Amino acid sequence: MLQTAFDFCVTHTEGRARRGVMKTAHGEVETPAFMPVGTQGAVKGLTHRDLEALGAQILLSNTYHLYLRPGDDLVARRGGLHRFIGWPKPILTDSGGYQVFSLAARRTITEEGVRFRSHLDGSSHLLTPEKATDIQAQLGSDIAMVLDECLAHPAAADVARQSMARTLRWAERARARMLALREAPVAGVTIANPGQAQFGIVQGSVFPDLREESAGGTVAVGFEAYAIGGLSVGEPPDVMYDIVGATTPRLPQGRPRYLMGAGTPEDLVEAVARGVDLFDCVLPTRNARNGQLFTSEGRINIKNARYAEDDRPADPGCGCYTCRTFSRAYLRHLFVTGELNAATLNTLHNLNFYLDTLRGIREAIAFGRFESFRLAFHQRLSRRSHDS
Amino acid sequence: MLQTAFDFCVTHTEGRARRGVMKTAHGEVETPAFMPVGTQGAVKGLTHRDLEALGAQILLSNTYHLYLRPGDDLVARRGGLHRFIGWPKPILTDSGGYQVFSLAARRTITEEGVRFRSHLDGSSHLLTPEKATDIQAQLGSDIAMVLDECLAHPAAADVARQSMARTLRWAERARARMLALREAPVAGVTIANPGQAQFGIVQGSVFPDLREESAGGTVAVGFEAYAIGGLSVGEPPDVMYDIVGATTPRLPQGRPRYLMGAGTPEDLVEAVARGVDLFDCVLPTRNARNGQLFTSEGRINIKNARYAEDDRPADPGCGCYTCRTFSRAYLRHLFVTGELNAATLNTLHNLNFYLDTLRGIREAIAFGRFESFRLAFHQRLSRRSHDS
C-alpha cells in the first residue's frame, strides 16, 4: 500500500489569506505559490536553472501534450517526468481535460469519458477518469489532477448542472482508480512516483448553488487537496472573485486550494485575499513571447515604437537579470528582429514579476500586513494606464 | 587624434601555432579564440550571461543587419553597440560585405561600392568602403573589418584577379577613411569607440599567386591586423588548409590573423597549426538550431529516432550545463516538439564544444604539446563515423 508524501501546513493567516508550506514527494513549496507552465516538460524560452534562479519551487506540466509526445509509457521507462526532464523539484500535472475540451470539433463527451482526435496526427484517443489517472501515475508528477469537464463561458444553468454532476461522478471514478493504484500493482501502469497526491476539482460555472454542491460533493469523495476549476475562462473578474470567495470556505482549512488557470497579477492578489494558495497561468510566459511585459506600474508592449530609443529597463523597480542588464530599446530590437532571446529575456522578466509578487504576498501575510500590500499593489497599478 | 587601443602579444609558439593575448578597447582576448556569432546583437538562443559562463571573450556582430535594424545612427545615440546590447566585452563587426554579396540578384558591384536592396523592405542602399567604415565607427565595435568583395566558389582566375585587385583598392579607401575619422571629427559620423581597430582582408580565391599579391598589398596598406577572407565557401578542406598555410607566413608575426567564417572543429585545429589566431563561424549555433550536436566523437543529429530512449548526455565527455543535466531522450523530445529550449540547450552545448576546443588548443600550445593534442583530436573524431 503506497502512501502519499503530500502534506500541508498553514503557518500564518491574515483575514482569509494564508501563508503555508506544501510538502510533496520532491520537496516543499511555500504558499501562496505560482506554478510556471512547462507544457511539454519545459517552460518555453527558459532553462530549468533560470527557473530555479527565479525562485520557482514547482512546475506545471500538461498531461495531454506529454501523453501524445513523447508518451507516458516512454516517460515511465525513463523513470518518470522528474528524471526525464531533469527537474528535481515538485511538478503538478493537469488531467489533460482542459486541452481536450479546447479541441471543440475534435472531441465528443460521453459518460465514459472524452473521445478526441490528436491535434498532431488526427489519431483517435479516449480519455477517461481512470485513464487520466493512469497517465499521470506513469508521468509520476507530485500532484495529479482529476479529469473534469471544462465548460466554456457563458454556460446555461442546466448545461452547467449536468456538467458539474458528471464531473462529480468522474471524480469518484478517478479517486477509486487512484486508491486502486496505491493498493496494489495494476497491469500496464508503472507507478513512477509512489508519493503522488491527487487533487479534486470544483466546477459549477458562475452559479453559486452549483459551486456549493460541487464543493460539498468533491470534498465528500476525499482528495489530498482541492482545486477551483472553470474560472478565468472569460467571465468578468468580479464574478470570478465572488465565486472564489464563496467556494474557499467550503473547502477544508487544512488543505491547499488551487485556483486553476488564473490569472493576472491583480487576480492573484484578490484570490489570495479569499483564501487561495496555488496558481498557474500561461499569461506571464505567453504574453512575454508576444512582447507584453508586466511591470509594477502596468503592462507595456515592448514592440511599441516609443521604446525604440528608451534606455530605461523594462521595469525600473525590478531586479531581474533582464532589467539589470538590458534597456527597453534593446528588448524592442530583439523582439522586432524576431530574435529567440526576446522570448527568453521577456519570459524571465514576466515570471520574475509573478514570483516576486507571490514572494511579496507571503512576506506580507507573515508580518500581518497583507491588506496594506494589497492596497498598495492595486494603487500602484492604477496610477498608470496600460499602454497595451 | 584618436589612437587605437588595439595590441597583440604572442606568448607561446609551437611550430607555426601561436598562443597570445589580443588587447582591445573593451578588454583582452586569449588567442587562438573563437568568436560566437551574434548577428543582430544577440547569439540566437543564448543570453549574454550564458555566453560569459561558457567563457566567450569576444562576440562577432553583423554590420549589414545592424545597419538595417535598428540602424547605426540609433546605436550611436545609445552610446554604441556595447551599451546598446549590454555586452561589455570585446566585439568584432564584419563589414556587411559578406551579407550584401550573398544577396545575389539584389546587388550590383561598381568601383564605387555595392548597391543592394534590403532583404527587409527592398529599399536601395549603397555600401562603399568609406560607408562600411563609418557604420562600424558608429556601432563602436572594438575591431572593424574593411569592405571586401566576397567571391563565390569556384571563381575563374581572371574574375578572381579583378576582384582581388578591387578589394585591394577598397582596402586603401577604407584605411584612408579610418585614418581621417581618427584624425578629426567628420560630420554625420559619431565615433562610438575611440579605440576601435581596423583589420584588412586578404582575398584571391584558391589561387596562390593572387593570395600572395593580396597579402603583400594589404599589409602594405597597413592595418592593425589581417584576416583571410574568401575561404570556407565550399572549397575542399585541403585546399583551404593549403591557402591558409601559404598565406599566414606573408602576414606580420606580431599581429593576429583571423580566418573568416571557418569552420568545423577540425578546420580550427588545422588552421591554428598554420598560424591562425581568430575564428568565427555560424556552424555551432546554426547547426544547434537544426538539432546537430558536436561531440568529442563526432556529430550527432538529436532528432534521430535512435535517441528517443537514450538516457546518456549528448556528449558523455562534456561538462556543459546541457550535458550535466539533460539526456539525449529529453533533448530529442524538446527538438521534436519544437520547444524554444531545444535551441538554447543545443546552442549552449555546441558553443561550449567550440570554446572548450580552443581552451584545449591554448593550453596545449602553452605546454608545447599542441602536436599531440592535434593528433589525438583527429583520432578521436575518426574513431566514430558521424551519424548525420
Side-chain angles (χ1 to χ4, degrees):
Chain A
M1 176 81 180
L2 303 176
Q3 284 220 308
T4 176
F6 189 84
D7 203 358
F8 180 66
C9 167
V10 174
T11 57
H12 307 78
T13 59
E14 181 185 339
R16 294 165 67 184
R18 308 116 59 87
R19 177 173 175 163
V21 178
M22 183 171 78
K23 195 180 147 198
T24 80
H26 287 83
E28 297 185 345
V29 177
E30 296 171 283
T31 63
F34 179 79
M35 303 183 278
V37 177
T39 301
Q40 304 187 110
V43 172
K44 293 184 197 309
L46 282 198
T47 61
H48 295 350
R49 67 177 174 186
D50 284 339
L51 278 172
E52 291 204 56
L54 289 175
Q57 299 184 343
I58 176 169
L59 274 193
L60 181 144
S61 214
N62 290 111
T63 291
Y64 169 79
H65 290 282
L66 293 170
Y67 163 70
L68 293 179
R69 282 193 309 199
D72 50 306
D73 285 330
L74 186 146
V75 173
R77 285 194 296 272
R78 308 268 71 67
L81 198 51
H82 294 82
R83 287 189 60 183
F84 176 58
I85 75 170
W87 172 263
K89 295 179 184 239
I91 299 174
L92 180 147
T93 44
D94 63 8
S95 68
Y98 185 83
Q99 273 77 27
V100 168
F101 285 100
S102 306
L103 294 173
R106 290 168 169 266
R107 47 88 176 158
T108 47
I109 308 168
T110 63
E111 184 62 24
E112 189 187 9
V114 200
R115 182 161 290 282
F116 66 96
R117 294 196 172 278
S118 159
H119 73 287
L120 297 171
D121 62 5
S123 57
S124 177
H125 302 263
L126 178 66
L127 190 66
T128 63
E130 293 80 8
K131 180 72 179 169
T133 305
D134 291 353
I135 296 171
Q136 293 177 83
Q138 295 220 115
L139 295 175
S141 54
D142 298 289
I143 299 169
M145 302 302 300
V146 297
L147 181 67
D148 59 336
E149 182 175 347
C150 308
L151 275 187
H153 177 82
D158 60 331
V159 173
R161 167 165 294 282
Q162 286 170 26
S163 170
M164 181 275 290
R166 179 152 52 205
T167 289
L168 213 44
R169 291 191 297 274
W170 284 2
E172 284 170 7
R173 287 167 52 191
R175 190 59 178 177
R177 182 63 170 192
M178 186 64 168
L179 296 178
L181 290 176
R182 286 184 189 165
E183 188 69 34
V186 169
V189 182
T190 301
I191 306 292
N193 179 0
Q196 187 179 56
Q198 187 185 42
F199 285 14
I201 304 176
V202 175
Q203 288 285 354
S205 186
V206 297
F207 305 103
D209 58 326
L210 299 186
R211 288 280 169 183
E212 180 180 343
E213 191 176 330
S214 178
T218 309
V219 172
V221 174
F223 293 93
E224 274 74 41
Y226 302 89
I228 304 172
L231 292 178
S232 209
V233 291
E235 76 285 359
D238 285 346
V239 171
M240 175 168 82
Y241 301 160
D242 285 349
I243 295 288
V244 169
T247 304
T248 51
R250 305 188 181 281
L251 300 175
Q253 282 282 347
R255 299 279 130 189
R257 300 149 180 169
Y258 164 28
L259 178 58
M260 301 182 79
T264 64
E266 298 90 316
D267 291 344
L268 271 51
V269 172
E270 286 311 297
V272 166
R274 289 161 176 80
V276 172
D277 308 291
L278 284 172
F279 302 92
D280 81 284
C281 192
V282 295
L283 264 190
T285 41
R286 179 177 294 164
N287 289 19
R289 298 197 301 283
N290 294 328
Q292 189 179 70
L293 299 171
F294 290 89
T295 82
S296 49
E297 297 185 342
R299 306 182 197 182
I300 67 174
N301 268 314
I302 201 65
K303 62 190 155 197
N304 199 309
R306 83 176 69 164
Y307 302 124
E309 308 223 14
D310 190 335
D311 294 326
R312 290 173 299 167
D315 185 351
C318 176
C320 81
Y321 171 67
T322 301
C323 289
R324 287 197 319 271
T325 317
F326 305 105
S327 65
R328 294 176 181 183
Y330 180 61
L331 294 177
R332 177 178 188 270
H333 167 67
L334 293 179
F335 188 86
V336 168
T337 55
E339 283 286 326
L340 289 171
N341 278 358
T344 297
L345 296 178
N346 293 350
T347 301
L348 203 145
H349 168 76
N350 275 358
L351 273 184
N352 186 71
F353 184 81
Y354 268 67
L355 294 168
D356 244 7
T357 299
L358 273 294
R359 272 188 287 269
I361 287 172
R362 290 195 299 270
E363 276 297 283
I365 297 172
F367 290 97
R369 48 177 182 74
F370 173 69
E371 272 311 310
S372 54
F373 173 96
R374 181 184 175 189
L375 188 69
F377 188 86
H378 291 304
Q379 279 178 337
R380 192 160 180 188
L381 278 181
S382 63
R383 235 194 290 151
R384 180 173 183 271
S385 63
H386 299 174
D387 78 347
S388 47
Chain B
M1 175 83 180
L2 303 175
Q3 285 219 308
T4 175
F6 189 83
D7 203 0
F8 181 64
C9 168
V10 174
T11 56
H12 306 79
T13 61
E14 181 184 338
R16 293 165 68 184
R18 309 116 59 85
R19 177 173 174 162
V21 179
M22 183 170 79
K23 194 181 148 196
T24 80
H26 287 83
E28 298 185 344
V29 178
E30 297 173 283
T31 64
F34 178 79
M35 303 183 280
V37 178
T39 301
Q40 304 188 111
V43 172
K44 293 183 198 310
L46 281 197
T47 60
H48 295 349
R49 67 177 174 185
D50 285 338
L51 280 171
E52 290 203 58
L54 289 174
Q57 299 182 343
I58 176 168
L59 274 196
L60 180 143
S61 214
N62 290 110
T63 291
Y64 169 79
H65 290 283
L66 293 171
Y67 163 69
L68 293 179
R69 281 192 311 199
D72 50 306
D73 285 330
L74 185 147
V75 173
R77 284 194 297 271
R78 307 268 71 67
L81 199 50
H82 295 82
R83 287 189 60 184
F84 176 59
I85 74 171
W87 171 262
K89 294 179 184 238
I91 300 173
L92 180 146
T93 44
D94 64 6
S95 68
Y98 184 83
Q99 272 78 25
V100 169
F101 285 100
S102 306
L103 294 174
R106 289 167 170 268
R107 48 87 174 158
T108 47
I109 309 169
T110 63
E111 185 62 23
E112 188 187 10
V114 201
R115 182 161 290 282
F116 67 95
R117 292 196 173 278
S118 159
H119 74 286
L120 296 172
D121 61 5
S123 57
S124 177
H125 302 263
L126 178 67
L127 190 65
T128 64
E130 293 81 8
K131 180 72 180 170
T133 305
D134 291 353
I135 296 170
Q136 293 176 85
Q138 294 220 114
L139 295 176
S141 55
D142 297 290
I143 299 171
M145 302 301 300
V146 297
L147 181 67
D148 59 336
E149 182 174 345
C150 307
L151 276 186
H153 177 83
D158 58 333
V159 173
R161 168 165 294 283
Q162 287 171 27
S163 170
M164 181 276 290
R166 178 153 52 205
T167 288
L168 214 43
R169 292 191 298 275
W170 284 2
E172 285 169 4
R173 286 167 53 191
R175 189 59 177 176
R177 181 65 171 191
M178 186 65 168
L179 296 179
L181 290 177
R182 285 183 189 167
E183 189 67 35
V186 170
V189 182
T190 301
I191 306 292
N193 179 359
Q196 187 180 56
Q198 186 185 43
F199 285 14
I201 304 175
V202 175
Q203 287 287 352
S205 187
V206 297
F207 306 103
D209 58 328
L210 298 186
R211 288 279 170 182
E212 181 179 341
E213 193 176 329
S214 178
T218 309
V219 172
V221 174
F223 292 93
E224 274 75 40
Y226 303 91
I228 304 173
L231 292 178
S232 209
V233 291
E235 76 286 359
D238 285 347
V239 171
M240 174 167 83
Y241 301 160
D242 286 348
I243 295 288
V244 168
T247 304
T248 51
R250 305 188 182 280
L251 300 175
Q253 282 283 344
R255 299 278 127 189
R257 301 147 179 170
Y258 164 28
L259 178 58
M260 301 180 80
T264 65
E266 300 90 315
D267 292 344
L268 270 51
V269 172
E270 286 310 297
V272 166
R274 289 161 176 83
V276 172
D277 309 290
L278 284 173
F279 302 91
D280 81 283
C281 192
V282 295
L283 264 190
T285 41
R286 179 176 296 164
N287 290 19
R289 298 197 302 280
N290 294 327
Q292 189 180 70
L293 298 171
F294 290 89
T295 82
S296 48
E297 297 185 342
R299 306 182 198 182
I300 67 173
N301 268 314
I302 202 65
K303 61 191 154 196
N304 200 308
R306 83 175 70 166
Y307 302 123
E309 308 223 12
D310 190 335
D311 294 326
R312 290 174 300 167
D315 185 351
C318 176
C320 80
Y321 170 67
T322 301
C323 289
R324 287 198 318 273
T325 317
F326 304 106
S327 66
R328 294 176 181 184
Y330 181 60
L331 294 177
R332 177 178 189 270
H333 167 67
L334 292 179
F335 188 86
V336 167
T337 54
E339 282 288 324
L340 289 170
N341 278 358
T344 295
L345 296 177
N346 293 349
T347 301
L348 203 146
H349 169 76
N350 276 357
L351 272 184
N352 187 70
F353 185 81
Y354 268 66
L355 294 167
D356 244 7
T357 299
L358 273 292
R359 272 188 286 269
I361 288 173
R362 291 195 298 270
E363 275 298 284
I365 297 172
F367 290 97
R369 48 176 180 75
F370 173 68
E371 273 310 312
S372 55
F373 173 95
R374 180 184 177 189
L375 189 68
F377 188 85
H378 291 305
Q379 280 178 336
R380 192 161 181 188
L381 279 181
S382 63
R383 235 193 290 151
R384 180 172 184 271
S385 63
H386 299 176
D387 78 347
S388 48

